[in-house]
Amino acid sequence: MQEIKLDIYATLVCMVLVLLLGRYVISKVKFLRDYDIPEPVVGGVLVAFFIMLARQFYNFGLQFDSSLKDPLMLTFFITIGLSADFKSLQKGGKMLAVFLLAVAGFVVCQNAVGISIASLLGVNPLMGLLGGSIALVGGHGTSAAWANFFTQPPYNFSSSLEVGMVCATFGLVSGGIIGGPVAKYLISKYKLEPKDTKEKDTLEGVASKGFETPKEQRLITASSFVETLALIAIALLVGTFLSHLMPKSFTLPTFVWCLFVGVILRNTLSFFKIHSVFDREVSVIGNVSLSLFLAYALMSVNLLELLKLAVPLAVILSVQVVFMILYVVLITFRVCGKDYDAAVLCAGHCGFGLGATPTAMVNMQTITNHYGPSHVAFIVVPLVGAFFVDIINALAIKGFLLLPFFPS
């Protein structure tokens, strides 16, 4: 087979072209727009498909340079850490704590379900973990990061990236499909209505403080960019150092260490009033890093390997959707108060429990546009779904990997 090795510059061009291809296809396909399928996923899968055809029929392949892969991945997770402001916990009040506990319980149960089904089917239990909170709660970025970890000893699961990407994409779509109907079912069954006007006004005041757009928007400048880049560089250095420093008995992927360093850095600087992290700038850098990282990961996917795992994956993911519905109806809805706000929170939980925070927001907007506002839900869900769940997820995944049926 003739295989062309691309250097770092050619690989970067391919990554950008993947994003542009994904954007173009999404602009032409309504289904992809409706379910917010990310550009790198669409473009990356298409490129991987074309590469597969070239390998099969023309004995021609491409080998991409991987130099940018890890720095981009680590940068993305650092930006998640830098976004985790513990002061924001005060905005959600008691409901945030209750919902966070419900979500934490769900993450643990979701992994238990995935691993159990994988074991019953006689496949690698890592497939169940990837078909659990790694891909469904974590999304494409977390899936690709853990997949990179699982391809290495002692796990040696060569198809982990393909499995993770399929699970994350399936979750993104299914989370958008079930969220609205589940909330509507709860609202209809229990005849729920938005709370009285007085309470709405009170909550609206809280919500506006959390999500208002300032009159004078802070601009992203060269100076502010350098400051944010300095924070990311420090987190990269310290996170990778800690990763190498830890004993083998306490192995965590490097990106988890970088995420935690980002959290500590953000809140330490805030507590001592040394520096105010520019959230919008951090978000931009994180989104760009994630998009480029996913573009690389997905255009490198071996789709032929994935076909061998189609049946067990379909079973695992189908069970996970059913479990998601049962959990929000029987647990999330009840612990959050069995009221209208709880029903809207359930729509959001379905969104990021299987897909991503944007899916959760769309689910909730669909419900509130029809039935009325739920300001509590629009405070709590972004806080939990955007970064707190990533910290819970990282700890839960590591906990499951300590179980005896995973190699150590």
Side-chain angles (χ1 to χ4, degrees), residues 124-126 154-156 401 403-408:
N124 192 328
L126 284 174
Y155 303 104
N156 299 314
L401 289 174
L403 295 175
F405 41 78
F406 289 109
S408 58

Side-chain angles (χ1 to χ4, degrees), residues 154-177:
Y155 303 104
N156 299 314
F157 185 28
S158 60
S159 302
S160 56
L161 179 61
E162 291 81 0
V163 170
M165 292 300 102
V166 167
C167 292
T169 303
F170 176 88
L172 202 61
V173 175
S174 57
I177 291 174

Side-chain angles (χ1 to χ4, degrees), residues 223-236:
S223 177
S224 67
F225 188 87
V226 169
E227 291 172 358
T228 302
L229 192 61
L231 296 178
I232 292 172
I234 292 169
L236 274 170

Side-chain angles (χ1 to χ4, degrees), residues 36 136-139 172 347-364 380-390:
D36 296 313
L136 300 181
V137 170
L172 202 61
H349 193 182
C350 288
F352 74 77
L354 291 177
T357 305
T359 307
M361 302 303 286
V362 170
N363 285 352
M364 294 193 300
V380 169
V381 169
L383 291 175
V384 174
F387 43 80
F388 288 120
V389 75
D390 288 302

Side-chain angles (χ1 to χ4, degrees), residues 116-300:
S116 300
I117 299 300
S119 300
L120 288 173
L121 295 173
V123 297
N124 192 328
L126 284 174
M127 189 184 297
L129 201 56
L130 284 162
S133 72
I134 290 179
L136 300 181
V137 170
H140 292 89
T142 303
S143 299
W146 279 101
N148 186 50
F149 184 66
F150 290 153
T151 56
Q152 303 168 14
Y155 303 104
N156 299 314
F157 185 28
S158 60
S159 302
S160 56
L161 179 61
E162 291 81 0
V163 170
M165 292 300 102
V166 167
C167 292
T169 303
F170 176 88
L172 202 61
V173 175
S174 57
I177 291 174
I178 70 170
V182 167
K184 289 178 182 178
Y185 162 77
L186 293 171
I187 291 169
S188 299
K189 180 178 180 180
Y190 294 97
K191 297 179 173 57
L192 304 174
E193 294 180 354
K195 295 181 179 178
D196 60 67
T197 307
K198 183 178 179 181
E199 187 166 353
K200 285 184 202 174
D201 293 339
T202 303
L203 290 169
E204 191 167 15
V206 176
S208 65
K209 291 179 183 177
F211 296 98
E212 67 181 356
T213 302
K215 293 179 181 179
E216 294 183 7
Q217 193 174 50
R218 185 177 175 185
L219 298 177
I220 297 176
T221 64
S223 177
S224 67
F225 188 87
V226 169
E227 291 172 358
T228 302
L229 192 61
L231 296 178
I232 292 172
I234 292 169
L236 274 170
L237 177 65
V238 177
T240 52
F241 174 75
L242 289 174
S243 176
H244 293 117
L245 186 66
M246 290 297 124
K248 290 185 178 180
S249 58
F250 189 69
T251 303
L252 277 175
T254 304
F255 76 86
V256 177
W257 289 110
C258 289
L259 187 153
F260 286 148
V261 171
V263 172
I264 294 169
L265 195 58
R266 161 67 183 257
N267 289 280
T268 301
L269 293 174
S270 176
F271 180 79
F272 290 104
K273 298 181 180 179
I274 298 172
H275 175 73
S276 177
V277 173
F278 190 175
D279 288 319
R280 188 162 58 87
E281 190 168 64
V282 167
S283 177
V284 169
I285 295 174
N287 288 336
V288 171
S289 300
L290 176 61
S291 294
L292 289 172
F293 169 65
L294 286 178
Y296 174 86
L298 286 162
M299 69 185 184
S300 306

Side-chain angles (χ1 to χ4, degrees), residues 3 24 32 55 64 73 79 93 145 148 163-164 180 184 266 300 304-305 340 347 352 358 378 390 403 405:
E3 190 163 72
Y24 175 77
L32 299 176
R55 287 181 184 275
F64 300 106
M73 175 187 69
T79 60
N148 186 50
V163 170
K184 289 178 182 178
R266 161 67 183 257
S300 306
L304 288 175
E305 285 292 318
Y340 177 75
F352 74 77
F378 279 90
D390 288 302
L403 295 175
F405 41 78

